[in-house]
Amino acid sequence: MRDDNCIFCKIANGDIPSKALYEDDDFKVILDLGPATKGHALILPKNHYANIYKLPDEAASKVMLLAKKMTIRMTEKLNCDGFNLVQNNGEDAGQTVFHFHLHLIPRYKNDGQTLGWKSMEPTPEELEDIRKIITE
């Protein structure tokens, strides 16, 4: 299941060279060409899934196990102080390449990067309404 027009399919399957950190039958982990920090990498499935909604459960499980393995190794080798795992779905959420991928972003004290949001202040009633919407 490849998309011949997808740049991440081409990278994951070796049609376009990359700085690979890891590869198996299902995934390729590469260094990001526009990194947020030293060692910023991407986990790319070799099959094409536009986003997490299309990602099969088995692949989703494997990607998280691979993320754990890679962040442990990268933390040991890069001596980073923390890690962000970032995964965007949809243009409004910041997705720019429509092939599922997981960012592995090593964090260093005073690296100048931020990852955050402006917190809302919902009332307990609003939280309960949202809970009902999601669970019913």
Side-chain angles (χ1 to χ4, degrees):
M1 284 194 308
R2 288 181 54 180
D3 178 341
D4 291 334
N5 296 316
C6 174
I7 191 164
F8 279 2
C9 281
K10 292 176 183 178
I11 293 169
N13 289 284
D15 300 332
I16 295 175
S18 62
K19 299 294 184 190
L21 303 176
Y22 173 87
E23 185 170 5
D24 63 23
D25 291 341
D26 300 313
F27 299 97
K28 190 172 208 174
V29 181
I30 64 167
L31 289 175
D32 193 304
L33 293 179
T37 63
K38 179 179 76 175
H40 179 169
L42 303 174
I43 298 178
L44 306 175
K46 290 187 174 180
N47 287 324
H48 183 80
Y49 310 107
N51 51 44
I52 199 166
Y53 309 114
K54 303 292 184 184
L55 188 69
D57 290 350
E58 183 179 350
S61 296
K62 286 181 178 180
V63 79
M64 287 309 295
L65 291 172
L66 179 54
K68 179 181 177 186
K69 175 181 177 176
M70 292 303 301
T71 57
I72 289 169
R73 179 169 178 78
M74 292 168 75
T75 298
E76 290 171 355
K77 298 293 186 176
L78 297 172
N79 297 308
C80 56
D81 301 304
F83 243 96
N84 289 123
L85 302 181
V86 178
Q87 205 284 305
N88 303 314
N89 295 282
E91 188 174 344
D92 288 334
Q95 187 177 11
T96 58
V97 178
F98 294 89
H99 177 113
F100 173 90
H101 55 286
L102 181 65
H103 293 262
L104 308 176
I105 306 173
R107 297 305 302 270
Y108 305 90
K109 188 172 285 202
N110 301 316
D111 63 20
Q113 292 293 343
T114 59
L115 179 68
W117 50 86
K118 181 181 174 189
S119 295
M120 299 169 59
E121 296 181 15
T123 65
E125 294 79 20
E126 290 170 322
L127 290 174
E128 179 59 17
D129 289 344
I130 294 166
R131 187 196 67 78
K132 285 181 182 176
I133 290 169
I134 294 170
T135 59
E136 291 179 356

